[in-house]
Amino acid sequence: AQRVTQPEKLLSVFKGAPVELKCNYSYSGSPELFWYVQYSRQRLQLLLRHISRESIKGFTADLNKGETSFHLKKPFAQEEDSAMYYCALYAGGTSYGKLTFGQGTILTVHP
Amino acid sequence: GAVVSQHPSRVICKSGTSVKIECRSLDFQATTMFWYRQFPKQSLMLMATSNEGSKATYEQGVEKDKFLINHASLTLSTLTVTSAHPEDSSFYICSARKPDSSYEQYFGPGTRLTVT
């Protein structure tokens, strides 16, 4: 069975500092990985996915199959980045699109 | 766009009663919908996967007789919490998947259930 681990429940940085939210996964197949974000009082929304290799709101994430990691990074954090971030894995096959979520990391960016 | 709504946004019910939560995809047809439970500042716990026209698939440890899921149309899935107890109080979130997307889920705003 697949598993997603986000080792940090809370992460605090100051504005302008680099930030890295860690995500590790275990899955025997070839995974598709995503980062979802939930801002205060808002619904969960897709931030980015590894397959598109895009940068959204200054965030990037690279899939490292050797280390089974998909860490989310931003070189200069902004206060508006404060939110709950979830790493998620899609296993494909007959899972009907089911996503496995990590425990989430609450990022706080201080002014 | 891909908008998912939930109704009600919050509900308070008495212990022992049942409460129904609706999840609708407003501008697309969703062959698959998912129901999650979220505890304060914690992760999403997938409860069940709901496919239109068939029985829901429940995750291990989720009581199917307590959390009844119906996906009667391509735009509506309902979750009924039967004989609710205070420990059922939680934030329930649904999401929907477009037929042409294998992985992206669009989330509803959630429903806050409080059982007194």
Side-chain angles (χ1 to χ4, degrees), chain B residues 31-84:
Chain B
T31 51
T32 306
M33 289 184 170
F34 304 87
W35 286 96
Y36 297 87
R37 188 169 173 176
Q38 184 181 39
F39 295 94
K41 299 195 176 182
Q42 292 189 35
S43 188
L44 297 165
M45 183 192 83
L46 178 66
M47 299 174 67
T49 302
S50 167
N51 288 296
E52 186 266 337
S54 63
K55 289 184 179 180
T57 302
Y58 290 82
E59 294 299 301
Q60 192 172 7
V62 177
E63 298 176 61
K64 59 180 69 175
D65 293 331
K66 179 166 187 62
F67 299 99
L68 300 178
I69 292 172
N70 184 279
H71 193 158
S73 78
L74 286 171
T75 59
L76 173 65
S77 176
T78 60
L79 167 67
T80 301
V81 183
T82 63
S83 187

Side-chain angles (χ1 to χ4, degrees), chain A residues 14-96:
Chain A
F14 285 99
K15 177 183 173 181
V19 63
E20 181 180 56
L21 291 86
K22 290 184 167 48
C23 171
N24 290 91
Y25 68 90
S26 64
Y27 177 57
S28 56
S30 184
E32 292 186 45
L33 285 146
F34 313 88
W35 278 97
Y36 279 81
V37 60
Q38 187 174 28
Y39 299 104
S40 180
R41 299 184 186 280
Q42 294 188 29
R43 69 185 69 196
L44 207 66
Q45 56 186 289
L46 179 66
L47 179 62
L48 55 78
R49 49 199 172 211
H50 93 267
I51 201 166
S52 57
R53 300 186 63 82
E54 58 203 342
S55 173
I56 302 293
K57 299 185 179 182
F59 284 98
T60 58
D62 290 318
L63 177 61
N64 185 323
K65 291 187 177 180
E67 295 183 359
T68 59
S69 68
F70 187 55
H71 303 327
L72 183 68
K73 300 177 184 178
K74 185 169 183 176
F76 307 103
Q78 303 299 315
E79 289 179 69
E80 54 266 29
D81 296 329
S82 296
M84 173 77 111
Y85 291 81
Y86 292 99
C87 182
L89 179 151
Y90 168 62
T94 59
S95 63
Y96 297 106

